[in-house]
Amino acid sequence: QSALTQPPSASGSPGQSVTISCTGTNSDVGTYNYVSWYQQHPGKAPKLMLYEVSKRPPGVPDRFSGSKSGNTASLTVSGLQAEDEADYYCTSYAGRTTYVFGTGTKVTVL
Amino acid sequence: QLQLQESGPGLVKSSETLSLTCTVSGASINSNPYYWAWIRQPPGKGLEWIGSISYSGSTYYNPSLKSRVIISVDTSKKQFSLKLSSVTATDTAVYYCARHPGSASEFESWGQGTLVTVSS
């Protein structure tokens, strides 16, 4: 299992949109629609933002959306707000109840 | 409301065994279809799934750690535990426990995490 590939950083001004990619393989992202995304503020535990590619848990703003094409999943944050500045991680089911995480992306709100 | 709380020594000597416990409140630990996981994060680095245990006690491990990891559950105490043997400095990390509502599902709830430092 190799970590899913994410860009190290992404940024946008308040109100703009930012999209983060998460690239895996045919053994994980490409095969399963069990991709989830987590937001992590410094010193805090990760928080689930999206699951099964594009579903939002209760309480997560609809500014957060997800998609998948082939071996790459994406998270888009629309209408960026200051509180969206955080690290974001994707994860994918990889079969036989195993998981692989992404390398993480630091989102900066300019 | 589900709460998860990690506990255990914050300092472990190199070559010894790291032992952590996660106490679950607000939910039954042996309730179908829930799974319970350990995830770690070295300082300044990304997340790594260590392994999971199912509501029925079946275990699943990260292949890269499988030879050193044991996850177990104590239903009566509403706890599940992690043992990682032969630790080195690379095992220094914040260790999180989490719940996922199925064998392929997302990590829906997390503990606050506990830092374990491996010293030489």
Side-chain angles (χ1 to χ4, degrees), chain B residues 61-94:
Chain B
Y61 300 130
N62 186 322
S64 67
L65 298 169
K66 186 174 184 177
S67 64
R68 298 195 291 130
V69 174
I70 297 175
I71 296 176
S72 60
V73 65
D74 186 332
T75 305
S76 64
K77 293 183 178 180
K78 299 190 72 173
Q79 295 176 335
F80 64 104
S81 299
L82 169 70
K83 291 189 184 299
L84 181 65
S85 62
S86 305
V87 297
T88 68
T90 58
D91 295 309
T92 293
V94 175

Side-chain angles (χ1 to χ4, degrees), chain A residues 1 34 36 38 40 43-48 50-52 89 91 93 96-103, chain B residues 35 39 41 45-49 52 60-63 96 100 102-108 110-112:
Chain A
Q1 284 184 331
Y34 291 107
S36 51
Y38 302 84
Q40 186 180 34
K44 300 295 186 181
K47 174 188 175 184
L48 177 66
L50 295 175
Y51 65 102
E52 293 178 19
Y89 293 91
T91 189
Y93 180 65
R96 299 183 181 181
T97 312
T98 64
Y99 294 84
V100 59
F101 276 93
T103 50
Chain B
Y35 288 61
I39 296 159
Q41 184 173 37
K45 296 187 178 181
L47 298 163
E48 180 180 36
W49 173 75
S52 297
Y60 308 87
Y61 300 130
N62 186 322
Y96 296 99
H100 50 116
S103 62
S105 299
E106 66 282 0
F107 303 106
E108 59 176 1
W110 296 64
Q112 66 184 25

